[in-house]
Amino acid sequence: MTVRHHLTDETLLSYAAGDLDDATSLVVASHLALCPVCRADVDMAEDIGGVMLDDVVPVSMSDDALAHVLARAETSSRDPEQPVEMAASKPAGGYVFPEPLRSRIGGDLASVKWRRIGPGVQQYVLPCRDDASQARLLRIAGGQGVLQHGHTGEEFTLVLAGGFSDGDQAFARGDVEWADQDIVHRPIADDGDGCVCLAVTSGPLQFFDFVGKIVQRFVRI
Amino acid sequence: MTGGSITPETAEGASALMQRVAEDADRQAFELLFRHFAPRVKAYMLKLGTAESLADELAQETLLTVWRKAPQFDRSKASPSTWIFTIARNLRIDAFRKISRPELDPNDPALVPDPEEPQDDRVNRLQRADVIREAMRTLNDDQAAVVRLSFFEDMSHSAIAEQLDLPLGTVKSRLRLAFARIREAVGDELE
């Protein structure tokens, strides 16, 4: 599997700097688990943070800071070198959701409590720690799509299973589609098993037809 | 690396000290790391608008985490400064929050692994800081400003655009250009 649709450099840089809201961080981190290319870029962006930390003008610590930390170090246990979760715990077919998404949901695909929001479309809204952006899982049946919509903010859609197409572009597991105010689109899930994706939006979507407007009143998409 | 005169000023030195902390729970080595990094982490916290006492506390917490997690530090993956930066960044974001910052888990079985990296590239991680520092000096003022605001002012792209009175697209393209420049410099160095 090779990811073809990546996150932009400026998004990766902001993730490394710690500037992104919770939901956007969640979609970025989940993409990173599936994309070694973007992961390498985040490594490099974090190196920029390391260099800036090195070069900052230091500020004196309080007098007893070192003694305080040494005293706490005395009584604290060291974290083990080996990770707790070993590959042995991997289920036979592999996880659909990578970390940190799996922890946020509290399980893999089978544990999602879906809610139907339209023909062939189900959603699950994820808990987030700030409301700057909303994160939701979408499960779209084969050949079905989200109604044509525009955006009032940014939208990141990460494919987790199956795939979808949008115009002449195809998206598969690990791929991210990005859209903003200037883009109106209608993604359609691939025939067959359809598509499961994580969608993060920083503003309400704009639907243009009557049905979409009615649906929106009820599901707050 | 047996002398007592290892300095945390260089990535190599800090890395050797990290190793002593990890393997021998060496307090003297930790003290050197603390004296170097704690005041820098505190400065970072203050720049991000954290109050003085909390900045001090978060810097202490960062260095305590360095002590605790030292056995997990991998010099082939990051320089000590980068590693400590990420700890400080996450502690600041997570202060007073119940849900922690979404971070990838390098041990997740669902992680798509990195392609095999040549041994030479891994060694270069420690030297990469110098290459990046040099490359950052070659950024023009506009590019350097958006990078600084991203890391040291906790500003979203639109907040940076507002502060600098620029269109959002201009902020993004400056960040992109700055990043491309640094990536190019790192790429050249590894060839």
Side-chain angles (χ1 to χ4, degrees), chain A residues 53-66:
Chain A
L53 182 65
D54 265 337
D55 294 351
V56 78
V57 178
V59 174
S60 298
M61 292 292 289
S62 56
D63 293 341
D64 55 355
L66 176 60

Side-chain angles (χ1 to χ4, degrees), chain A residues 163-179:
Chain A
F164 69 82
S165 60
D166 191 356
D168 56 2
Q169 306 241 58
F171 297 82
R173 180 170 164 84
D175 285 330
V176 185
E177 181 176 44
W178 178 86

Side-chain angles (χ1 to χ4, degrees), chain A residues 147-210:
Chain A
L147 293 167
Q148 184 178 59
H149 62 271
H151 311 84
T152 57
E154 288 188 306
E155 178 189 60
F156 297 88
T157 309
L158 169 68
V159 179
L160 297 160
F164 69 82
S165 60
D166 191 356
D168 56 2
Q169 306 241 58
F171 297 82
R173 180 170 164 84
D175 285 330
V176 185
E177 181 176 44
W178 178 86
D180 70 356
Q181 291 91 330
D182 300 332
I183 295 170
V184 171
H185 65 163
R186 180 163 199 265
I188 310 265
D190 294 352
D191 286 336
D193 291 340
C195 180
V196 175
C197 49
L198 171 64
V200 168
T201 46
S202 61
L205 302 183
Q206 288 175 308
F207 292 96
F208 303 103
D209 68 356
F210 179 70

